[in-house]
């Protein structure tokens, strides 16, 4: 499994090196909804986990949020940093290259919101996701928000390809994807109030995905 994990990281690195804007050049629909939700709740400091090439990071920075953006892909982070510089948004963005399984390098109660679009849906075991959600809770201020998305069990790729343990299957591109039922989301929400769980389609490249949008609030 250790080898698999290294391969996944390498795969993201080479994908981002070889493809500009792998998920498209526009911010995601979830990113726009996050801006509305965070603004309505008075959030200013946002931690984004699994930011990739930064399509939503630039949106948050452009909209005036202070963003700490973390990903384990060095090439994704480098591209994001360059683009932020080109757009003169770099004062609003801090970049961290780190495997989130090693924890979040921020102090307790230091951010208003955590955002992750399709990070938990990667090759992470349920106990690792539980630890990361606990880390998110630690760095959130009381009442802080955790907005995340995951591929769900109605997605056409659910159960297809080689099984990699729990509800993880490897897709034809070689990425290991973890699929979530609503019950799993509820089970993982320890220490949070569940504000909503909503299904949506994400039409961004390379194919349309069925996701749950999950909004949690730290007790
Ligand atoms: C499906 S992509 C989504 C990227 C971005 N959120 C977007 O929507 O454009 C998942 C991202 O999570 C990152 N990732 C996967 N596992 C990770 C880990 N253990 N630690 C940090 N980043 C990870 C990958 O490098 C990749 O950029």
């Amino acid at each position: 499994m250790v080898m698999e994990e290294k391969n996944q990281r390498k795969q993201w690195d080479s994908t981002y090196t070889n493809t500009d804007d792998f998920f498209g050049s526009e911010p995601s629909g979830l990113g726009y909804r996050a801006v509305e939700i965070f603004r309505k709740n008075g959030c200013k400091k946002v931690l984004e986990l699994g930011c990739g090439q930064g399509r939503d990071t630039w949106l948050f920075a452009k909209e005036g949020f202070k963003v700490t953006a973390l990903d384990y892909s060095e090439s994704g982070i480098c591209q994001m940093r360059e683009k932020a510089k080109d757009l003169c948004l770099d004062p609003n963005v801090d970049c961290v290259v780190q495997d989130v399984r090693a924890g979040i390098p921020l102090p307790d109660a230091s951010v208003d919101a955590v955002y992750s679009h399709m990070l938990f849906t990667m090759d992470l075991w349920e106990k690792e996701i539980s630890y990361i959600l606990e880390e998110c809770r630690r760095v959130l201020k009381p009442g802080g928000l955790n907005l995340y998305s995951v591929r769900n069990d109605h997605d056409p790729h659910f159960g297809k390809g080689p099984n990699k343990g729990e509800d993880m299957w490897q897709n034809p591109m070689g990425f290991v994807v973890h699929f979530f039922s609503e019950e799993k989301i509820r089970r993982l929400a320890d220490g949070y109030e569940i504000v909503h769980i909503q299904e949506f389609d994400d039409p961004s490249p390379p194919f349309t995905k069925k996701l749950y949008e999950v909004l949690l609030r730290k007790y």
Side-chain angles (χ1 to χ4, degrees), residues 8-9 11-13 16 22-24 26 28 48-56 70-74 76 96-102 115-124 128 132 149 151 175 202 204 209:
Q8 291 293 297
R9 184 178 188 153
Q11 169 131 4
W12 280 112
D13 260 333
Y16 291 149
F22 180 68
F23 291 105
E26 295 299 315
S28 69
E48 183 182 2
L49 299 177
C51 63
Q53 291 163 304
R55 60 178 173 153
D56 292 333
L70 178 150
D71 201 289
Y72 69 3
S73 164
E74 195 146 9
V96 181
V97 180
Q98 178 160 317
D99 189 323
V100 71
R101 285 171 290 208
Y115 173 83
S116 57
H117 191 8
M118 298 187 287
L119 167 76
F120 297 134
T121 208
M122 297 287 91
D123 65 324
L124 296 167
E128 294 174 323
I132 300 163
S149 75
R151 300 276 291 276
F175 291 112
D202 183 340
S204 49
K209 297 160 273 294

Side-chain angles (χ1 to χ4, degrees), residues 9-55:
R9 184 178 188 153
K10 269 200 194 148
Q11 169 131 4
W12 280 112
D13 260 333
S14 68
T15 299
Y16 291 149
T17 302
N18 297 324
T19 320
D20 289 342
D21 305 325
F22 180 68
F23 291 105
S25 56
E26 295 299 315
S28 69
L30 185 70
Y32 286 114
R33 287 198 292 285
V35 167
E36 261 177 50
I37 293 170
F38 294 163
R39 202 163 267 152
K40 209 165 83 191
N41 285 274
C43 303
K44 294 193 166 53
K45 287 179 87 175
V46 175
L47 166 66
E48 183 182 2
L49 299 177
C51 63
Q53 291 163 304
R55 60 178 173 153

